[in-house]
Amino acid sequence: MAERPEDLNLPNAVITRIIKEALPDGVNISKEARSAISRAASVFVLYATSCANNFAMKGKRKTLNATDVLSAMEEMEFQRFVTPLKEALEAYRREQKGKKEASEQKKKDKDKDKKTDSEDQDKSRDEDNDEDEERLEEEEQNEEEEVDN
Amino acid sequence: MAAAAAAAAASGSGTPREEDGPAGEAAASQPPAPTTAPGARLSRLPLARVKALVKADPDVTLAGQEAIFILARAAELFVETIAKDAYCCAQQGKRKTLQRRDLDNAIEAVDEFAFLEGTLD
């Protein structure tokens, strides 16, 4: 899978949406301007990555973490981003924790399933539970797909 | 008729959508990132694309999931910021359409955008 420079652009539809939501109603953007902003965003990510990597190397770490990126923002004079980014990070961590707990619960339920299958089959309540668990499984699979995105 | 108007409004632009094919951008063939699930609201930009950009740096060994997420969010904030700054220039020219030159002016005027000089051509 060869990576051409064009592949490193962010999706135009998303960029356009972000721009439109940032600007007042009725304001339009030319194709050239939108494309330039998209490229600018890619350059921004590359530059931020490079700065963040410097911080990681200073800390003798090989993996970039969230703190490195926040430090990079300050270095790049984008301090105003730091607070909203910290809030977003908190929300992200809560969400990740929620997903982890949900998948652990699902695992426990699966183990529980194996035990109930070997028990009495006349209990209709178990059948209802199975249906609920199947639905839950489907929802979680959808969530997992998005994480893998 | 009403449905078509609603569809046009939903697409968010009164002007006809222009295809990016002739411009040679491969991004046009990519499907837009799904935003229906509540979890996806935290970041609209697809993390996979951001990760690809991060990996493009030869000095970077690994990047944590949180780092990728914050970079995506920061990129969104950056797009909002530069769009607003460029709009100020357009407003001065009493125009309602952001042009490429508005962006160039913003880059020259704002110190924080200095890193963009020469990169967009």
Side-chain angles (χ1 to χ4, degrees):
Chain A
M1 200 167 76
E3 281 192 6
R4 295 167 293 160
E6 302 92 74
D7 289 338
L8 295 180
N9 277 343
L10 299 159
N12 274 326
V14 180
I15 297 283
T16 306
R17 202 178 312 141
I18 299 174
I19 294 173
K20 290 223 169 224
E21 289 183 13
L23 299 176
D25 286 338
V27 177
N28 285 321
I29 179 154
S30 75
K31 185 180 156 193
E32 291 77 22
R34 187 194 65 207
S35 146
I37 290 186
S38 179
R39 254 172 296 145
S42 300
V43 172
F44 173 82
V45 173
L46 290 169
Y47 181 38
T49 301
S50 179
C51 280
N53 199 38
N54 287 339
F55 283 102
M57 292 197 294
K58 270 189 213 170
K60 293 184 184 169
R61 279 174 286 105
K62 287 193 175 177
T63 307
L64 288 188
N65 63 25
T67 316
D68 296 327
V69 179
L70 289 172
S71 306
M73 291 297 121
E74 295 199 15
E75 174 90 359
M76 292 160 66
E77 293 178 41
F78 283 106
Q79 292 91 342
R80 56 177 140 163
F81 287 0
V82 172
T83 309
L85 286 178
K86 280 186 180 169
E87 287 171 8
L89 182 61
E90 292 299 308
Y92 178 76
R93 282 175 174 165
R94 278 197 299 269
E95 190 195 80
Q96 291 301 99
K97 192 176 167 196
K99 281 185 184 173
K100 191 180 171 190
E101 284 167 4
S103 67
E104 276 170 11
Q105 181 64 36
K106 173 182 138 188
K107 207 178 162 190
K108 280 184 197 167
D109 289 343
K110 263 191 176 167
D111 291 341
K112 195 177 149 194
D113 247 355
K114 285 178 188 167
K115 286 180 192 167
T116 53
D117 278 347
S118 59
E119 281 175 7
D120 201 351
Q121 297 146 355
D122 287 339
K123 292 180 186 173
S124 57
R125 205 181 285 176
D126 282 332
E127 286 173 23
D128 288 340
N129 284 343
D130 286 344
E131 282 174 24
D132 286 338
E133 277 156 15
E134 276 174 19
R135 249 180 274 132
L136 193 63
E137 250 176 80
E138 279 172 23
E139 284 172 15
E140 279 167 358
Q141 271 170 17
N142 287 340
E143 284 179 23
E144 280 174 13
E145 277 167 27
E146 254 131 41
V147 168
D148 289 339
N149 182 35
Chain B
M1 294 161 292
S11 70
S13 64
T15 53
R17 297 272 301 274
E18 294 164 60
E19 289 304 318
D20 296 304
E25 287 180 358
S29 58
Q30 299 287 344
T35 52
T36 45
R41 283 289 156 94
L42 283 182
S43 156
R44 278 177 281 201
L45 293 168
L47 298 187
R49 290 277 199 108
V50 177
K51 195 168 185 179
L53 276 167
V54 171
K55 284 193 166 175
D57 187 328
D59 296 329
V60 172
T61 318
L62 279 175
Q65 189 85 343
E66 285 184 354
I68 301 287
F69 166 75
I70 296 205
L71 278 169
R73 194 74 191 94
E76 285 180 38
L77 291 172
F78 170 78
V79 169
E80 286 174 19
T81 306
I82 200 168
K84 285 178 181 166
D85 286 342
Y87 178 58
C88 284
C89 299
Q91 259 189 319
Q92 283 169 9
K94 293 183 185 174
R95 278 178 286 105
K96 282 213 156 178
T97 301
L98 233 60
Q99 305 280 0
R100 172 62 200 265
R101 60 174 180 265
D102 297 318
L103 210 63
D104 292 333
N105 287 339
I107 291 174
E108 266 184 73
V110 181
D111 286 338
E112 291 147 14
F113 298 150
F115 71 91
L116 290 169
E117 279 170 21
T119 61
L120 300 184
D121 297 319

